[in-house]
Amino acid sequence: MKDINILVFGDSITYGAWDKEKGGWVNRLRLALENDNSNKYYTIFNLGISGDVTEGIKNRFDNECKIRFAKEDNTIIIFSIGINDTQNVKDEDRVSLETFRNNIIALINSAKKYTNNILFIGLTKVDESKVAPLPWDKDKCYLNNKIIDFDKELKNICLENNIDYLYIYDLLEVDELFDGLHPNNVGHQKNCDKVKTKISKYF
């Protein structure tokens, strides 16, 4: 039996917020892989933390990997991060595009120490009518034009470093966003299906 470890780093969308049926796209991916009737054994670690940004993952990445990495297993590292970096706080950037770029490059270099199977998932659109500003914090907002800029930067960095990138900005309809930011059950399933197809080449 072939052992495959999948580490998924991210934020509340990765964690599975607002999927009240199956706990988010990462858990849906685990269930799908475990039921694929193959001779492979999958261990999927959901390392999503609500509100996290690229700086947060950069700071915890090695510690998270060291306790889960086994040389004899095949390892896949997935990053689904960046939407919170795009946030505006009191009309100022929470994270600059330059800092975002430096953090992504640092994550790529760190991930290469563990595996060549690395995937960055692109950023999703938001429903600005619900998140600009956030109803629970009027000082913060998400804007699609800024998300697009960060997503383009992420794609370019991946191309420059020969790292897999998955475009999903247009994957979800606005009615598949539970609160304008997080996917609902349908959105999480669509994310799961897209990622499962993308990572199948690693198996």
Side-chain angles (χ1 to χ4, degrees):
M1 182 174 287
K2 191 174 184 180
D3 290 347
I4 299 173
N5 285 343
I6 304 176
L7 284 66
V8 189
F9 290 87
D11 46 34
S12 56
I13 296 176
T14 302
Y15 171 75
W18 300 113
D19 181 355
K20 299 181 180 182
E21 289 182 353
K22 295 185 179 179
W25 72 263
V26 177
N27 195 56
R28 288 172 181 265
L29 178 64
R30 179 179 69 81
L31 294 172
L33 292 175
E34 288 177 350
N35 288 287
D36 71 355
N37 297 316
S38 71
N39 63 343
K40 305 176 184 70
Y41 179 79
Y42 302 97
T43 302
I44 300 182
F45 299 99
N46 187 334
L47 302 170
I49 295 179
S50 181
D52 213 353
V53 292
T54 52
E55 185 79 18
I57 292 181
K58 186 182 74 170
N59 291 339
R60 65 185 169 95
F61 180 80
D62 275 323
N63 287 335
E64 300 275 24
C65 282
K66 285 176 182 176
I67 59 175
R68 296 175 174 87
F69 179 72
K71 288 184 178 180
E72 64 272 17
D73 295 338
N74 293 300
T75 297
I76 301 168
I77 295 176
I78 300 174
F79 295 102
S80 181
I81 191 67
I83 192 75
N84 291 321
D85 291 62
T86 73
Q87 197 178 77
N88 282 357
V89 182
K90 295 183 177 179
D91 294 324
E92 295 184 0
D93 294 339
R94 180 176 181 181
V95 177
S96 71
L97 192 60
E98 180 182 4
T99 298
F100 175 75
R101 177 180 179 83
N102 291 337
N103 288 341
I104 295 297
I105 293 172
L107 287 173
I108 289 172
N109 292 334
S110 294
K112 284 181 176 179
K113 295 186 295 184
Y114 299 94
T115 182
N116 291 320
N117 301 322
I118 303 166
L119 170 65
F120 278 83
I121 299 173
L123 308 186
T124 53
K125 69 163 71 74
V126 296
D127 182 350
E128 291 185 7
S129 69
K130 294 181 178 179
V131 298
L134 294 175
W136 57 89
D137 190 341
K138 300 293 185 181
D139 288 334
K140 298 177 181 178
C141 74
Y142 296 88
L143 300 170
N144 282 317
N145 61 352
K146 189 172 180 183
I147 291 171
I148 290 170
D149 288 342
F150 274 63
D151 193 49
K152 286 180 179 177
E153 186 70 11
L154 176 61
K155 179 180 179 180
N156 288 337
I157 296 166
C158 290
L159 287 172
E160 292 165 7
N161 291 273
N162 195 29
I163 298 294
D164 284 333
Y165 159 87
L166 179 62
Y167 177 80
I168 62 168
Y169 180 83
D170 293 326
L171 180 63
L172 305 186
E173 303 297 331
V174 291
D175 62 359
E176 293 166 345
L177 298 170
F178 180 87
D179 55 2
L181 174 63
H182 302 91
N184 62 15
N185 301 338
V186 174
H188 276 288
Q189 185 60 52
K190 289 173 75 171
N191 280 352
C192 166
D193 294 340
K194 192 83 171 178
V195 174
K196 184 174 184 290
T197 299
K198 184 70 174 180
I199 66 174
S200 62
K201 71 173 189 176
Y202 300 141
F203 301 153

